[in-house]
């Protein structure tokens, strides 16, 4: 179950990273909170900030559950490697970021390391 928690924590980390990308603190300061409940437009500004909080808390919660059964160094390496690969894949799929074949090679090396660490734990 700890490995599932670690995977869920990685998914939350990926979502948290993209909430940071789309968050604009200067625009958040300008939101008229009384009018926010009458119109949908402020929620496009508030949404990434809310995601930042929710995804960050979810990430910490599930990562802490995973670390109760997985050694900290292994959990951290797998969590970060999975999140890095997830962020890169999400950028390529959803944001149409360019990619190079060398990136796939090195992401494959990260995956090999993750599998190796999982087998040793």
């Amino acid at each position: 179950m700890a490995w599932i928690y670690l995977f869920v924590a990685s998914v939350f980390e990926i979502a948290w990273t993209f909430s940071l990308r789309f968050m604009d603190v200067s625009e958040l300061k300008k939101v008229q909170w009384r009018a926010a409940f009458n119109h949908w437009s402020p929620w496009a500004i508030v949404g990434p900030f809310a995601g930042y909080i929710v995804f960050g808390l979810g990430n910490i919660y599930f990562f802490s559950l995973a670390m109760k059964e997985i050694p900290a160094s292994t959990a951290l390496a797998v969590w970060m490697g999975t999140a890095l690969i997830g962020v890169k894949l999400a950028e390529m799929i959803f944001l149409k970021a360019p990619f190079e074949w060398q990136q796939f090679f090195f992401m494959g090396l990260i995956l090999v390391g993750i599998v190796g660490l999982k087998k040793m734990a």
Side-chain angles (χ1 to χ4, degrees), residues 2 5-6 12 23 28-29 36 40-41 50 53-54 58 62 69 74 82 94-95 98 101 103-104 107 110 120:
Y5 291 148
L6 194 58
F12 274 109
M23 190 167 58
L28 188 63
K29 291 177 185 178
W40 284 104
S41 59
I53 294 169
V54 171
F62 284 104
E69 296 181 36
T74 301
T82 307
F94 299 114
L95 302 177
W101 291 107
Q103 292 173 337
F104 283 107
M107 284 192 293
I110 291 171
M120 293 179 68

Side-chain angles (χ1 to χ4, degrees), residues 44-87:
I45 297 166
V46 176
F49 182 72
Y52 171 79
I53 294 169
V54 171
F55 298 137
L57 290 174
N59 177 21
I60 292 167
Y61 176 72
F62 284 104
F63 189 63
S64 68
L65 290 177
M67 284 187 26
K68 291 181 182 187
E69 296 181 36
I70 301 171
S73 59
T74 301
L76 184 62
V78 172
W79 169 74
M80 186 54 65
T82 307
L84 285 170
I85 291 170
V87 166

Side-chain angles (χ1 to χ4, degrees), residues 33-44:
W33 290 103
R34 291 179 190 241
F37 297 103
N38 297 329
H39 305 289
W40 284 104
S41 59
W43 293 106

